[in-house]
């Protein structure tokens, strides 16, 4: 694409940024509503964030994968990597509903445009949209905590976002930091090949035994929703539901693999030091410390509240009714993203139509 083409604005009713579960669900509902739209995705192929998951995360170990609207995921082999199974499913979904996702396209900024429209600036050109559905998720913004001495560590530091699977930790002494599901999964498989593992978390982990029904799910989502309504950065739904206590976790607790230590105080060239003076030498520190919402491209619209988050009612940004965040906060689960995609489209259809002003011919 030449520079001239890049500077030409393409008009659409709605721009969708991201083609994971939330983006594809939104595109499905937009197509059914007859709204002209474009779907922009910076990933190299279909699959959303799933395509980047580590190979040892098989489909049978995925928690709560919900089918996209209008097409079930059937007969999936639970022993295959989830990145392959879900990537193929998303690709088939895009093809069946002719969603025509444009990729790889990087969105650099969304700004106020002309005549009440939004200007979406990307690596593939500029789109002018009446409304925007942001479905960028969190995978592109891994959170790395900062500790004194971190830069002096002589070993390897990596994050869940670039976790390669357990094979690269054979014979190593590994500290896993973080209290979520990913940390537990990493520990259980790394412990089978590592020389030693240590688990460190800021808060004691809470394990959930027994069933997790609809009522419990609604209560958990309500807690996450309450934060975004106050303009605070969203927490994950998992952070308020606790860790599922399955057979593998029970075995890890019984063997000591999941014996948790509090967060260390500082990092040394050889490992980590705790407040009580105890030390652990390590070859690797694996940060399973979660992700933050990837919304920096929305910064020109000034949507953030003093608390650091974007205040949302349903999916709509309170500061700008044209902006809908799907897969953000309470809609971050796969079933939540499906429902939110439909809800966002229903609200967008109620927006007043604003046509571009046409300059008279000279």
């Amino acid at each position: 694409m030449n520079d001239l083409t890049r500077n030409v604005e393409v008009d659409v009713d709605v721009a969708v940024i991201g083609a994971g579960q939330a983006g594809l669900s939104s595109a499905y509902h937009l197509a059914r509503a007859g709204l002209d739209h474009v779907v922009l995705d910076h990933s190299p192929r279909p699959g959303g964030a799933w395509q980047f998951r580590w190979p040892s995360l098989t489909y049978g170990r995925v928690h709560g994968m919900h089918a996209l609207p209008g097409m079930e995921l059937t007969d999936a082999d639970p022993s295959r990597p989830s990145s392959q199974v879900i990537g193929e499913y998303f690709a088939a979904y895009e093809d069946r509903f002719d969603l025509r996702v444009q990729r790889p396209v990087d969105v650099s900024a969304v700004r106020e445009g002309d005549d009440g429209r939004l200007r979406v600036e990307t690596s593939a050109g500029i789109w002018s949209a009446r409304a925007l559905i942001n479905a960028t998720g969190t995978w592109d913004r891994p959170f790395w905590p900062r500790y004194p001495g971190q830069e002096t560590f002589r070993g390897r530091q990596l994050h869940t976002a670039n976790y390669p699977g357990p094979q690269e930790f054979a014979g190593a002494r590994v500290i896993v930091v973080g209290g979520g599901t990913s940390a537990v999964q990493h520990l259980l498989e790394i412990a089978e090949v590592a020389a030693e593992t240590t688990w460190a978390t800021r808060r004691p982990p809470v394990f959930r035994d027994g069933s997790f029904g609809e009522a419990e799910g609604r209560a958990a989502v309500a807690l996450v929703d309450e934060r975004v309504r106050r303009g605070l950065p969203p927490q994950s739904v998992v952070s308020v539901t606790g860790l599922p206590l399955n057979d593998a976790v029970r075995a890890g607790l019984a063997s000591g693999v999941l014996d948790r230590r509090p967060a260390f105080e500082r990092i040394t060239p050889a490992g980590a030091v705790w407040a009580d003076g105890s030390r652990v030498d390590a070859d690797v520190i694996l940060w399973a410390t979660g992700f933050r919402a990837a919304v920096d491209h929305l910064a020109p619209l000034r949507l953030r509240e003093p608390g650091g988050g974007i205040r949302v009612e349903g999916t709509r940004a309170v500061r700008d009714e044209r902006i809908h965040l799907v897969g953000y906060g309470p809609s971050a689960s796969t079933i939540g993203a499906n429902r939110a995609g439909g809800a966002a489209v229903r609200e967008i259809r109620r927006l007043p139509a604003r046509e571009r002003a046409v300059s008279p011919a000279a």
Side-chain angles (χ1 to χ4, degrees):
M1 182 176 292
N2 60 41
D3 290 339
L4 179 61
T5 306
R6 286 182 185 276
N7 290 325
V8 174
E9 292 189 14
V10 179
D11 285 6
V12 291
D13 284 326
V14 185
V16 180
I17 306 177
Q21 185 97 15
L24 294 182
S25 170
S26 300
Y28 169 87
H29 290 291
L30 286 166
R32 285 173 63 88
L35 290 171
D36 180 35
H37 63 280
V38 63
V39 184
L40 308 171
D41 186 35
H42 83 153
S43 296
R45 55 190 177 274
W50 290 103
Q51 66 192 271
F52 305 113
R53 297 296 202 271
W54 51 99
S56 56
L57 181 61
T58 58
Y59 182 67
R61 298 176 63 192
V62 168
H63 298 291
M65 173 61 197
H66 195 80
L68 285 158
M71 178 177 163
E72 294 292 324
L73 171 53
T74 58
D75 301 322
D77 182 350
S79 67
R80 293 184 66 207
S82 60
S83 58
Q84 296 177 11
V85 172
I86 298 173
E88 291 168 5
Y89 170 54
F90 281 15
Y93 189 85
E94 292 178 17
D95 183 62
R96 174 179 290 190
F97 295 106
D98 195 25
L99 298 183
R100 302 185 186 181
V101 178
Q102 299 202 28
R103 61 168 62 90
V105 176
D106 294 318
V107 177
S108 55
V110 180
R111 307 180 189 277
E112 190 64 47
D114 297 329
D115 307 314
R117 297 172 70 87
L118 296 161
R119 177 184 169 95
V120 183
E121 300 175 355
T122 83
S123 59
I126 300 168
W127 276 266
S128 172
R130 189 164 61 92
L132 178 114
I133 294 178
N134 192 81
T136 48
T138 62
W139 188 259
D140 298 318
R141 284 202 63 204
F143 174 63
W144 293 73
R146 303 305 304 170
Y147 282 87
Q150 192 165 353
E151 70 284 353
T152 70
F153 182 60
R154 291 194 296 260
R156 181 183 181 191
Q157 297 186 58
L158 69 161
H159 191 277
T160 291
N162 51 8
Y163 173 69
Q167 66 282 350
E168 291 197 22
F169 302 92
R173 299 163 299 177
V174 184
I175 299 174
V176 177
V177 185
T181 303
S182 293
V184 171
Q185 291 178 347
H186 297 337
L187 279 159
L188 292 176
E189 59 183 27
I190 289 172
E192 296 182 2
V193 299
E196 178 181 284
T197 59
T198 301
W199 186 21
T201 73
R202 286 192 299 122
R203 290 182 293 271
V206 176
F207 293 96
R208 184 188 75 243
D209 200 0
S211 62
F212 188 76
E214 187 175 339
E216 291 84 357
R218 283 198 301 267
V221 169
L223 289 173
V224 180
D225 185 51
E226 193 270 338
R227 283 184 61 88
V228 299
R229 286 176 180 272
R230 291 164 51 200
L232 298 173
Q235 290 178 308
S236 68
V237 174
V238 171
S239 70
V240 296
T241 62
L243 297 162
L245 192 58
N246 55 31
D247 290 343
V249 170
R250 288 189 178 92
L253 290 167
S255 68
V257 169
L258 295 180
D259 283 348
R260 167 261 180 191
R261 299 191 65 169
F264 41 76
E265 190 173 72
R266 58 190 174 90
I267 296 173
T268 71
V273 178
W274 275 255
D276 62 3
S278 60
R279 297 171 175 266
V280 169
D281 289 341
D283 305 297
V284 181
I285 300 175
L286 173 56
W287 300 95
T289 43
F291 299 79
R292 299 294 182 264
V295 292
D296 289 351
H297 54 285
L298 302 180
L301 299 175
R302 303 180 182 274
L303 302 177
R304 287 192 187 273
E305 301 292 335
I310 299 175
R311 190 154 62 97
V312 171
E313 292 284 350
T315 62
R316 174 179 52 82
V318 170
R319 289 180 178 263
D320 193 326
E321 66 177 352
R322 300 168 299 175
I323 309 296
H324 287 261
L325 284 81
V326 178
Y328 179 87
S331 64
S333 66
T334 56
I335 188 170
N338 282 359
R339 292 170 177 167
V345 172
R346 286 192 294 273
E347 288 212 28
I348 287 170
R349 292 183 72 180
R350 291 194 287 265
L351 282 175
R354 294 187 180 96
E355 297 299 330
R356 275 187 177 279
V358 179
S359 299

